[in-house]
Amino acid sequence: MKKYSVYIGLIAVGLLLGWMLFGGSSKTEEIHKHNAVAETNQMWTCSMHPQIMQPEAGDCPICGMDLIPAESSAEGLMADQFKLSENAMALANIQTSIVGNTISDVDTGFILSGKITENEDETATMPAHFNGRVEKLYVNSLGEHVTKGQAVAQIYSPELIAAQQELITAYKLKASQPQLYNAVKNKFKNWMIHGAQLDEVEQTGKVKNSFTIYSHVSGVVTEIAINVGSHIMDGKPIFKVSNLNTVWANFDVYENQISQFKKGQDVVVTTNAYPNKTFKGKVNFIDPILNTQTRTVKLRVVLNNKKEIFKPGMFVEGKIKGIISGSKEQVITIPASAVLWTGKRSVVYVKTNPKEAIFEMQEITLGNQINNNYQVLEGLNKGDEIVTNGTFTVDAAAQLQGKKSMMNKKGEKTMTGHEGHLGMEMSDSVEGKTINKNERIKVSKEFQNQLKVVFNDYISLKDALAKDNTKRVIAISKTLLDNLSKVDMKLLKSKNEHEHWMPLHKEIKATTNLILNTDAIKMQRIYFKHLSANMANVIEIFGINEKVYHQFCPMADNNKGAYWLSKDEKVVNPYFGGAMLTCGEVKQIIE
């Protein structure tokens, strides 16, 4: 009996173990299968490149950033918002700041930007007093000093030749018909011709083919309206002169600030030409007419210039104290590094969630510049958090995700593949017409020539990509970086020029370095797309005195579409090489 009890116990233990090993495992297997299905359904994407979709976590094949769960990348976001990963924020060194108020009072004052011009009250015009043709010109250059009575030009005039014949005849009849003689002489007097030239005609009885005209004004030549061979007309200007012992400093005042300024206020003027000097003046005039395009009025200060310190065209800043008597005004200011410009638009990127890297573009209206900051008249409130470093990178992320951005005001999606082949045109392009999206800034030809050297390297880079020559791409990238470092920023004379060039210079350098440090043709072409976008901005903003074709292939970058620049209208596609060398079309002509 005892023996049977042992057998029964062993059987029971065996059944229990069998259930645990086989029955339990099926349940465990079911749980694992459920988790596997869940993991299989989970897709991963890149915050900087949302076209990337992968079934498992890892690195983005384009930029190397950590992939994030696809469903969380757009969770709870508004239409124009987008999100960056922590890795993306760190790699691009994206920094934000809280917008606060600064106090503008009688101690700090307002700082206005302005320009030196001639004192128009001390400006005179030398006009022509008869019709004729310029045979010689004795005043040839701007800035030349002219004194009253100085020879200006030698003029041939059929009108004067006929009048000389009358004078010779009247001179012979002077004794018998003095009134006729005086009438002819007065005609020459009205033409501002008298003295030795007329005496010579009377004495010799010979007609002069040309007459020398003399200046009846004195000053520094600020405008010349004629040249040798050109025709002059009675009453039309020959040149303009100014007395530069005093000059005007004209400053822009915004519409909402007009009430704070008045005549007689003290102004301290500074200029980059003399960084350690200050010059004092007073508000002399406030224009009663508002410029409807800039929404500003001109505020004028008259400056003493007997030592010829100020030159017309020179940029100056004016600090005006005592604007608000006995009170203080809160003014929102932000760093200049936070602002992106395109044409007349100014934009910043606002971090909409204090706990997550979620951003949205915001258009703003800027006021005066105060050192390295700008006043914000509209668009931001105290406490807003904005991007102050890495702004261009954030803008690039917005463009790639089809959100509102500097160049994409409506936030439309990038073209998806075949629109170009179906005859669809981009909304901001007109066939056969030159369109510059960015407002052109006038800079020196020397600066443009240095940019042209960099642009030529870019073209060589484009040609090497079209030929699938990765080694040449790397070699040209080195040359481009070298020539980029030789672009002389001192040739940029205004803060506006510097503020447009510096971020573009930084982006071009960074993108070219990425091209330089990879020998994978696919990656080189991806980086080339971003290089092309920045080069296009440079060409539009500064120009290189050369026609440039902005071309587009809708099938590049996995049917996202990509642009590039070319010297020729003929399409040579750098994104596909020999496979699709002629795929693309001209979308824009940049002059």
Side-chain angles (χ1 to χ4, degrees), residues 272 315 443-444 489-498:
N272 289 335
F315 290 103
V443 293
S444 68
M489 290 179 288
K490 293 180 181 178
L491 296 173
L492 300 176
K493 303 301 182 184
S494 71
K495 288 186 178 180
N496 184 41
E497 294 166 9
H498 276 279

Side-chain angles (χ1 to χ4, degrees), residues 247-280:
V247 292
W248 287 352
N250 287 324
F251 298 98
D252 291 322
V253 175
Y254 286 91
E255 183 177 7
N256 65 340
Q257 301 169 341
I258 294 174
S259 61
Q260 301 181 43
F261 297 89
K262 60 184 179 181
K263 289 178 66 175
Q265 287 174 319
D266 291 326
V267 183
V268 177
V269 177
T270 58
T271 173
N272 289 335
Y274 309 98
N276 298 322
K277 291 185 177 181
T278 58
F279 308 89
K280 295 182 179 181

Side-chain angles (χ1 to χ4, degrees), residues 477-518:
S477 297
K478 292 179 181 178
T479 304
L480 192 154
L481 287 170
D482 183 51
N483 287 325
L484 181 66
S485 67
K486 295 177 181 178
V487 176
D488 188 1
M489 290 179 288
K490 293 180 181 178
L491 296 173
L492 300 176
K493 303 301 182 184
S494 71
K495 288 186 178 180
N496 184 41
E497 294 166 9
H498 276 279
E499 286 165 356
H500 276 79
W501 168 245
M502 290 306 295
L504 288 171
H505 173 275
K506 181 180 178 181
E507 292 294 321
I508 291 172
K509 182 178 179 180
T511 311
T512 308
N513 268 313
L514 291 173
I515 297 173
L516 176 64
N517 290 306
T518 180

Side-chain angles (χ1 to χ4, degrees), residues 262-433:
K262 60 184 179 181
K263 289 178 66 175
Q265 287 174 319
D266 291 326
V267 183
V268 177
V269 177
T270 58
T271 173
N272 289 335
Y274 309 98
N276 298 322
K277 291 185 177 181
T278 58
F279 308 89
K280 295 182 179 181
K282 291 183 181 293
V283 176
N284 174 264
F285 174 77
I286 300 176
D287 198 333
I289 299 175
L290 180 77
N291 185 322
T292 55
Q293 292 184 337
T294 61
R295 310 305 300 177
T296 61
V297 298
K298 291 293 182 185
L299 180 147
R300 181 191 305 160
V301 176
V302 179
L303 297 172
N304 186 308
N305 195 39
K306 290 183 178 179
K307 295 182 179 180
E308 299 183 352
I309 291 174
F310 298 104
K311 317 295 182 186
M314 183 182 289
F315 290 103
V316 291
E317 287 186 347
K319 184 175 182 180
I320 301 182
K321 297 183 178 182
I323 293 175
I324 309 170
S325 179
S327 65
K328 296 183 178 181
E329 181 190 20
Q330 297 291 328
V331 180
I332 292 178
T333 64
I334 60 174
S337 61
V339 186
L340 296 177
W341 290 271
T342 171
K344 296 180 180 179
R345 295 171 61 225
S346 301
V347 303
V348 296
Y349 280 93
V350 179
K351 187 179 179 185
T352 57
N353 189 323
K355 297 182 179 180
E356 295 185 78
I358 298 174
F359 301 95
E360 183 176 354
M361 190 204 79
Q362 176 67 45
E363 288 195 34
I364 60 174
T365 302
L366 295 179
N368 298 309
Q369 184 173 2
I370 304 175
N371 299 321
N372 293 322
N373 297 318
Y374 279 98
Q375 294 177 348
V376 179
L377 306 182
E378 295 178 1
L380 289 177
N381 297 309
K382 183 179 179 181
D384 288 343
E385 187 174 358
I386 62 172
V387 177
T388 52
N389 190 69
T391 318
F392 265 91
T393 302
V394 176
D395 183 75
Q399 293 185 44
L400 288 169
Q401 296 187 41
K403 306 298 183 179
K404 282 186 178 182
S405 62
M406 178 174 65
M407 298 303 298
N408 188 1
K409 186 176 182 180
K410 295 181 180 179
E412 297 170 342
K413 290 287 185 182
T414 310
M415 298 182 73
T416 57
H418 299 284
E419 294 88 343
H421 294 301
L422 296 173
M424 294 175 66
E425 292 293 330
M426 292 176 63
S427 61
D428 54 0
S429 298
V430 179
E431 186 176 357
K433 187 174 181 182

Side-chain angles (χ1 to χ4, degrees), residues 181-218:
Y181 173 74
N182 290 332
V184 175
K185 288 275 285 188
N186 284 334
K187 184 188 296 186
F188 280 92
K189 186 177 181 181
N190 291 334
W191 288 334
M192 304 297 288
I193 296 175
H194 44 75
Q197 292 187 99
L198 283 188
D199 293 340
E200 182 182 348
V201 173
E202 291 178 349
Q203 297 299 325
T204 62
K206 294 181 180 180
V207 174
K208 294 172 65 70
N209 290 328
S210 61
F211 274 82
T212 300
I213 58 176
Y214 298 88
S215 176
H216 58 269
V217 294
S218 298

Side-chain angles (χ1 to χ4, degrees), residues 22-292:
F22 298 101
S25 66
S26 64
K27 187 172 183 180
T28 305
E29 183 179 351
E30 185 179 345
I31 294 171
H32 282 301
K33 285 182 179 179
H34 180 270
N35 291 339
V37 170
E39 290 177 2
T40 301
N41 292 333
Q42 174 67 67
M43 298 296 292
W44 298 76
T45 187
C46 174
S47 61
M48 290 290 287
H49 302 95
Q51 69 269 28
I52 298 298
M53 283 289 175
Q54 293 188 358
E56 58 185 15
D59 295 333
C60 173
I62 296 177
C63 62
M65 296 180 184
D66 293 336
L67 297 180
I68 59 176
E71 63 267 23
S72 66
S73 63
E75 184 180 352
L77 299 187
M78 303 295 288
D80 296 320
Q81 294 178 344
F82 57 98
K83 187 176 181 179
L84 299 180
S85 68
E86 292 183 6
N87 195 27
M89 295 281 289
L91 286 173
N93 192 25
I94 295 169
Q95 300 173 12
T96 61
S97 299
I98 303 295
V99 174
N101 289 342
T102 59
I103 301 174
S104 178
D105 59 18
V106 294
D107 295 323
T108 59
F110 270 81
I111 297 180
L112 305 177
S113 297
K115 183 187 290 186
I116 297 295
T117 64
E118 300 91 355
N119 184 340
E120 294 182 11
D121 293 337
E122 299 292 335
T123 298
T125 299
M126 169 69 186
H129 296 284
F130 53 85
N131 300 326
R133 184 182 69 242
V134 179
E135 292 192 332
K136 288 184 181 180
L137 189 61
Y138 303 119
V139 176
N140 298 298
S141 59
L142 299 178
E144 189 174 339
H145 286 268
V146 173
T147 58
K148 187 175 182 179
Q150 179 179 331
V152 173
Q154 195 169 315
I155 309 295
Y156 166 79
S157 172
E159 192 175 15
L160 291 182
I161 290 176
Q164 287 178 78
Q165 293 286 4
E166 294 180 18
L167 178 63
I168 292 170
T169 301
Y171 181 72
K172 293 177 181 179
L173 301 174
K174 180 179 179 180
S176 59
Q177 300 187 38
Q179 292 181 342
L180 174 62
Y181 173 74
N182 290 332
V184 175
K185 288 275 285 188
N186 284 334
K187 184 188 296 186
F188 280 92
K189 186 177 181 181
N190 291 334
W191 288 334
M192 304 297 288
I193 296 175
H194 44 75
Q197 292 187 99
L198 283 188
D199 293 340
E200 182 182 348
V201 173
E202 291 178 349
Q203 297 299 325
T204 62
K206 294 181 180 180
V207 174
K208 294 172 65 70
N209 290 328
S210 61
F211 274 82
T212 300
I213 58 176
Y214 298 88
S215 176
H216 58 269
V217 294
S218 298
V220 176
V221 177
T222 56
E223 183 180 330
I224 300 175
I226 61 173
N227 51 44
V228 175
S230 64
H231 286 264
I232 61 173
M233 297 179 63
D234 185 14
K236 296 295 183 181
I238 295 176
F239 61 83
K240 183 187 291 186
V241 297
S242 295
N243 183 346
L244 297 182
N245 286 336
T246 59
V247 292
W248 287 352
N250 287 324
F251 298 98
D252 291 322
V253 175
Y254 286 91
E255 183 177 7
N256 65 340
Q257 301 169 341
I258 294 174
S259 61
Q260 301 181 43
F261 297 89
K262 60 184 179 181
K263 289 178 66 175
Q265 287 174 319
D266 291 326
V267 183
V268 177
V269 177
T270 58
T271 173
N272 289 335
Y274 309 98
N276 298 322
K277 291 185 177 181
T278 58
F279 308 89
K280 295 182 179 181
K282 291 183 181 293
V283 176
N284 174 264
F285 174 77
I286 300 176
D287 198 333
I289 299 175
L290 180 77
N291 185 322
T292 55

